[in-house]
Amino acid sequence: MIPFDFEYYRPESISEAVQLFIELDQAGKNPVYFSGGTEIITLGRINVLYTNAVIDIKGIPECQVMDYHEGNLYLGSCCTLVDIEEKNLFPLLTATSKEVADHTARTKITLGGNICANLFYREAVLPFLLADSQVIIAGPNGYRTEYINQVFNQTLQLERGEFLVQLITEPDKIEAPSINIKRRRQWTTGYPLVTVAGLKLGEEIRVAISGLCPYPFRSQKMEYYINSQDFSQRDRIEKALGDVDGNVLNDTEGSDKYRLFILRNTMLDIVSTLEGERA
Amino acid sequence: MLKLTGTTNITLNINGEKRPVTVRPSETLLGILRGKLGLTGAKPGCLNGDCGACTVMIDGKPMKSCLMLGVEAPGKKIQTVEGLNGTPIQRSFIEHFAFQCGYCTPGFIMNCQSLIDTNPNAPDEIIEEWLKSNICRCTGYEEIEKAIKSVLRDK
Ligand SMILES: Cc1cc2nc3c(=O)[nH]c(=O)nc-3n(C[C@H](O)[C@H](O)[C@H](O)COP(=O)(O)OP(=O)(O)OC[C@H]3O[C@@H](n4cnc5c(N)ncnc54)[C@H](O)[C@@H]3O)c2cc1C
Ligand code: FES
Ligand code: FES
């Protein structure tokens, strides 16, 4: 049971949603956009999240898109993870998505909700960071289209009243060899100790990581070491790990040392698979 | 645009019946089913999306009813365990002793029923992937797996 009341709005267009946000905000109702709603409901229940009004954006057609347009893949922020897996238009995203939560929860969790989540794993962002995807964001100042690597810094950097509408990905990134490995403390569902997604574009390997630090990230410096062919594979990974910042999680799920140990082995698996040694 | 600013009357389509009910927008479907409509088959467990005891079917898909607001549900077909009557999966749970205390059973059955309806030829990996959505504290997983496989393979 959620221990407080809120108003519920379901707009049918982007402009209606934004206008509503502005009005509710001015009225002091601290509105939140509601997509799958699973985080709003579960964090609301334990009083970690509070709002007087939710704006359910699932009725906005642009947020439900899942299709190619002029060669690029457009995915709406309100597509559920299960819908994305069933359509399987972006194999790396399917692989990452299938490891999030469990199948039934993924019939409700949405792509935009996962990427904009307060819970810091946000695993579904990894494929888009690797693919240099673009995001379409709507808000009080209209629309903007940005490269995700420019606007995702630990979280998607949104101005007040803005929301994620769609993600756009180019076909060469979708078709490139890729891999996703999620390591948990135990069992086969649940949050990661470390999740690493990898993509190989030409000879270049890209990696993005969730679960290691309290935010997901892609590090150009780590990729520089992974791709510098003068050294052995192990040395390259060792150098890349040396570039992990000091924010490695150290909690009951796993100590920082253990997480780095898991990361080292996971990176070895990722790099050797993408370099073809174990393909 | 739908605007619900306070306690409001909605109609839910549950097990083929239209059920009018008065709700607050912040009430979960699970709370409404159990507390207002007397449908206590869906069970409250973790209330956090983890255990699957509250699973129902929404438009044929499995859904954790603790993760859905009642006001999201009008216009959708809701099926609860009360709407099943002597189905093969229910019989199979009995034949395979697929429960002990029975608390998780309605949730497992609704998840299994959805899989049977939507993917009758589901390979083992898919069965496993779907069943991982539910937790049984009495740990009868093997029997549950046998129960669903016997229904799917009989088809
Ligand atoms: C059982 C369970 C297991 C989980 N396991 C995992 C896991 O393994 N890995 C993982 O990464 N996550 C996991 N999660 C976390 C989950 O992915 C996030 O909580 C996610 O936010 C849920 O998506 P939603 O669509 O329901 O979000 P909502 O509850 O709708 O929204 C979450 C937040 O994002 C904001 N938001 C939603 N959509 C948009 C948008 N389009 N633009 C801007 N802001 C928006 C909302 O305002 C809110 O603050 C799990 C959650 C559950 C319930
Ligand atoms: S009560 Fe809904 S998943 Fe546990
Ligand atoms: S039979 Fe007791 S929890 Fe499953």
Side-chain angles (χ1 to χ4, degrees):
Chain A
M1 200 186 80
I2 300 173
F4 55 88
D5 283 327
F6 51 67
E7 298 171 0
Y8 175 87
Y9 297 87
R10 197 188 306 144
E12 282 157 25
S13 69
I14 293 174
S15 55
E16 244 180 20
V18 171
Q19 191 52 37
L20 203 54
F21 189 98
I22 296 169
E23 286 166 18
L24 293 167
D25 204 27
Q26 281 168 355
K29 294 194 171 164
N30 191 27
V32 290
Y33 290 115
F34 180 107
S35 188
T38 66
E39 184 172 287
I40 294 171
I41 293 171
T42 50
L43 295 187
R45 187 178 68 82
I46 54 171
N47 267 319
V48 170
L49 182 147
Y50 182 83
T51 177
N52 291 306
V54 303
I55 303 172
D56 186 343
I57 54 177
K58 289 194 290 293
I60 300 173
E62 289 89 336
C63 294
Q64 297 286 0
V65 161
M66 232 195 291
D67 227 334
Y68 279 95
H69 180 65
E70 292 178 353
N72 293 329
L73 176 64
Y74 284 66
L75 292 174
S77 61
C78 291
C79 297
T80 69
L81 296 185
V82 158
D83 286 344
I84 284 170
E85 291 156 30
E86 285 176 356
K87 272 221 166 179
N88 192 23
L89 297 172
F90 185 176
L92 177 59
L93 179 61
T94 301
T96 308
S97 171
K98 272 180 172 284
E99 297 293 331
V100 171
D102 58 66
H103 178 267
T104 305
R106 297 198 304 275
T107 60
K108 194 81 180 356
I109 294 174
T110 64
L111 184 58
N114 180 278
I115 291 174
C116 299
N118 294 289
L119 290 173
F120 57 67
Y121 298 103
R122 307 179 194 111
E123 289 178 82
V125 80
L126 303 180
F128 297 104
L129 293 177
L130 296 179
D132 270 331
S133 300
Q134 289 175 278
V135 286
I136 300 179
I137 293 167
N141 297 320
Y143 293 86
R144 57 189 175 111
T145 303
E146 310 268 7
Y147 281 98
I148 193 162
N149 282 304
Q150 257 136 36
V151 286
F152 191 92
N153 180 8
Q154 303 187 3
T155 59
L156 188 62
Q157 305 293 305
L158 297 172
E159 302 289 334
R160 188 141 187 86
E162 282 188 329
F163 68 97
L164 175 63
V165 180
Q166 289 171 348
L167 295 114
I168 312 170
T169 308
E170 293 169 350
D172 58 323
K173 317 289 188 333
I174 290 172
E175 288 149 19
S178 62
I179 180 171
N180 182 81
I181 299 180
K182 178 163 177 171
R183 306 267 193 235
R184 301 173 181 83
R185 189 175 65 153
Q186 58 180 6
W187 314 121
T188 49
T189 51
Y191 294 112
L193 266 179
V194 179
T195 296
V196 185
L199 187 81
K200 189 176 180 196
L201 273 177
E203 288 309 305
E204 179 204 352
I205 290 178
R206 300 177 174 185
V207 289
I209 300 171
S210 164
L212 184 72
C213 301
Y215 43 80
F217 65 93
R218 174 182 163 199
S219 157
Q220 310 255 329
K221 269 193 175 171
M222 287 178 82
E223 287 174 8
Y224 168 78
Y225 289 121
I226 289 168
N227 288 299
S228 52
Q229 293 300 333
D230 305 345
F231 303 97
S232 72
Q233 200 176 74
R234 258 173 206 281
D235 285 349
R236 285 184 278 139
I237 286 167
E238 223 42 65
K239 282 178 189 292
L241 290 183
D243 216 73
V244 169
D245 71 25
N247 273 329
V248 178
L249 288 163
N250 186 8
D251 56 23
T252 48
E253 288 285 313
S255 68
D256 47 357
K257 287 201 181 84
Y258 185 56
R259 280 192 152 88
L260 284 167
F261 168 76
I262 299 286
L263 177 65
R264 177 174 292 110
N265 292 321
T266 310
M267 292 279 268
L268 268 171
D269 288 342
I270 296 265
V271 172
S272 14
T273 305
L274 290 178
E275 288 184 344
E277 292 181 21
R278 292 187 205 164
Chain B
M1 172 168 49
L2 181 67
K3 285 186 185 184
L4 303 175
T5 52
T7 303
T8 183
N9 297 322
I10 58 171
T11 301
L12 298 178
N13 178 348
I14 307 177
N15 302 326
E17 269 179 62
K18 299 255 184 299
R19 301 287 303 263
V21 59
T22 305
V23 302
R24 291 179 294 109
S26 65
E27 283 180 89
T28 61
L29 180 61
L30 175 65
I32 294 166
L33 289 173
R34 293 181 56 83
K36 296 202 161 149
L37 296 171
L39 295 167
T40 55
K43 297 284 180 264
C46 62
L47 301 179
N48 197 46
D50 295 314
C51 74
C54 64
T55 304
V56 299
M57 274 157 65
I58 301 286
D59 289 339
K61 287 194 170 160
M63 177 67 64
K64 296 182 176 182
S65 58
C66 71
L67 293 181
M68 184 171 191
L69 299 176
V71 291
E72 291 180 88
K76 299 186 188 302
K77 282 191 183 148
I78 305 166
Q79 214 173 348
T80 68
V81 75
E82 288 88 349
L84 303 186
N85 193 357
T87 55
I89 189 66
Q90 288 172 303
R91 283 198 299 275
S92 188
F93 261 62
I94 296 169
E95 282 158 18
H96 291 88
F97 301 101
F99 50 84
Q100 291 181 37
C101 79
Y103 198 80
C104 68
T105 311
F108 264 107
I109 287 195
M110 295 315 287
N111 194 16
C112 291
Q113 185 64 47
S114 174
L115 181 58
I116 293 162
D117 293 346
T118 55
N119 198 346
N121 299 315
D124 286 2
E125 318 79 88
I126 299 284
I127 298 174
E128 197 182 309
E129 184 194 356
W130 280 55
L131 288 186
K132 281 193 301 194
S133 305
N134 296 65
I135 292 173
C136 172
R137 277 291 169 226
C138 307
T139 66
Y141 294 116
E142 268 192 37
E143 289 78 5
I144 293 169
E145 196 183 332
K146 281 184 195 147
I148 177 142
K149 280 189 179 166
S150 93
V151 176
L152 288 173
R153 303 304 175 234
D154 273 2
K155 283 203 159 193

